[in-house]
Amino acid sequence: MDRAQQLSEFLQARRARLSPGDVGVPEFGGQRRVPGLRREELALLAGVSVDYYTRLEQGRARNVSSDVLDAVARALRLDADERTHLHNLARPTTARKRPSRPQQVGAEMRQALNALTGVPAYIVGRRLDILAWNDMARALIADFPAMPAAERNMARLVFLDEAAKDLYPDWDDKARDTVANLRLDAGRHPDDPQLASLIGELSLGSDDFRRLWADHNVRGKTRGKKHFAHPQLGDLTLDYVAMRAPDDPDMTMMIYSAPPGSDATASLQLLASLSPSQPAADETRANHNSQLN
């Protein structure tokens, strides 16, 4: 989880996906040993010296300005999440050598989760730890209370639980998004030893994770559609939206829903009847998982 190594590998991976023709710069000639832009070409496009860009890519540049990073981001055609990741790696705001305090689900987030009785919802924190959930999410995704606290983690569910491939028909897409979410978290918290331990566990336990982790793709949790193959409901497509906690940028509530009158809405109503008759998750449940953070 070395920050300089992450920065180096990220920039190399982003260079590799572009060619001179993609960005309209002249080639320097000679046989290319690796795919993508050369450092010289990227430096030319970003308006910096080759020596400076080389030091940046090797993690040796100090006090890199935001203007330079933005120029490199434009040259590499980075999207908003990738740009944020680049800044996190190259311009760390604080060094977190020790684990930060355990995350706690605040009163407002807990109240909102408790109010969502007709749709699946759960709260995910650092390292994609599942901090809290409602009974609809438990019925749709996994029986979270039955799991050991250390296994309540979305990345572990996706890569280490074979049931995930049955639940998610588009498992490849789910896997890519999960790794990209975790990469973004790693850029924010490169000195988190529990995150490093999780990445090591996933790398040892899943060839797919190891392959996708090497791609250095990053993506935040936003909105979209998710397909499920539920053992009782059958095929189900739901819309999802991610709502970030107002007081913790590393805590997000994931909410699944469906258009009124749709078949998916009828399926959610059936799911509600199948859900365990227990109160929605509150901070007590969330604290079962706080020992992980």
Side-chain angles (χ1 to χ4, degrees):
M1 293 290 293
D2 178 79
R3 191 188 297 270
Q5 182 178 349
Q6 283 197 72
L7 175 61
S8 176
E9 292 176 353
F10 175 67
L11 288 172
Q12 290 178 52
R14 297 289 77 82
R15 276 198 300 115
R17 70 181 182 181
L18 295 174
S19 70
D22 292 331
V23 293
V25 299
E27 298 193 31
F28 278 76
Q31 186 175 2
R32 292 178 180 269
R33 293 175 295 177
V34 294
L37 288 178
R38 291 171 172 165
R39 287 174 178 167
E40 296 88 347
E41 293 160 343
L42 194 285
L44 175 67
L45 199 63
V48 298
S49 71
V50 176
D51 177 68
Y52 186 84
Y53 177 76
T54 299
R55 286 188 285 114
L56 173 63
E57 188 173 287
Q58 293 175 345
R60 296 187 291 111
R62 297 290 181 267
N63 300 317
V64 185
S65 72
S66 294
D67 289 343
V68 167
L69 293 177
D70 288 340
V72 170
R74 287 191 296 271
L76 290 171
R77 299 189 173 183
L78 303 186
D79 62 24
D81 288 330
E82 291 170 329
R83 186 184 296 259
T84 296
H85 189 60
L86 174 62
H87 278 261
N88 285 339
L89 294 177
R91 288 174 58 85
T93 55
T94 56
R96 298 186 177 184
K97 299 299 183 183
R98 293 176 295 177
S100 53
R101 292 183 302 172
Q103 285 180 289
Q104 300 291 332
V105 177
E108 295 86 357
M109 290 286 280
R110 184 172 67 251
Q111 177 177 300
L113 183 62
N114 289 341
L116 294 170
T117 58
V119 295
Y122 63 91
I123 296 173
V124 64
R126 293 190 300 268
R127 304 180 290 275
L128 302 186
D129 286 340
I130 299 166
L131 302 177
W133 57 88
N134 67 9
D135 289 315
M136 291 280 283
R138 175 183 175 186
L140 176 66
I141 299 172
D143 190 2
F144 300 121
M147 295 178 181
E151 295 180 10
R152 293 181 200 141
N153 176 278
M154 187 54 67
R156 285 191 176 97
L157 285 175
V158 170
F159 289 100
L160 302 182
D161 188 342
E162 286 299 320
K165 292 187 176 181
D166 295 326
L167 179 64
Y168 297 105
D170 301 329
W171 184 86
D172 289 343
D173 292 337
K174 176 66 174 178
R176 278 192 294 270
D177 288 347
T178 300
V179 173
N181 293 162
L182 202 59
R183 264 289 179 196
L184 203 58
D185 194 59
R188 291 192 297 265
H189 304 285
D191 302 312
D192 181 350
Q194 289 176 309
L195 178 56
S197 177
L198 172 63
I199 292 167
E201 177 187 355
L202 295 171
S203 297
L204 289 173
S206 171
D207 292 339
D208 290 312
F209 177 85
R210 191 163 57 250
R211 171 179 54 81
L212 292 170
W213 186 252
D215 290 339
H216 286 266
N217 292 326
V218 295
R219 183 185 178 192
K221 295 176 284 292
T222 53
R223 63 184 182 275
K225 294 184 180 294
K226 192 66 64 180
H227 305 290
F228 298 90
H230 193 270
Q232 293 165 291
L233 302 179
D235 292 337
L236 178 65
T237 299
L238 298 175
D239 300 312
Y240 71 87
V241 63
M243 300 181 66
R244 183 170 293 179
D247 56 352
D248 187 345
D250 293 320
M251 186 181 295
T252 303
M253 183 184 295
M254 306 297 297
I255 304 170
Y256 293 88
S257 63
S262 66
D263 290 342
T265 294
S267 294
L268 286 180
Q269 292 171 349
L270 178 57
L271 183 68
S273 70
L274 300 174
S275 301
S277 56
Q278 295 183 11
D282 55 22
E283 192 171 3
T284 302
R285 283 191 189 176
N287 283 340
H288 290 171
N289 204 41
S290 68
Q291 60 185 303
L292 300 175
N293 297 282

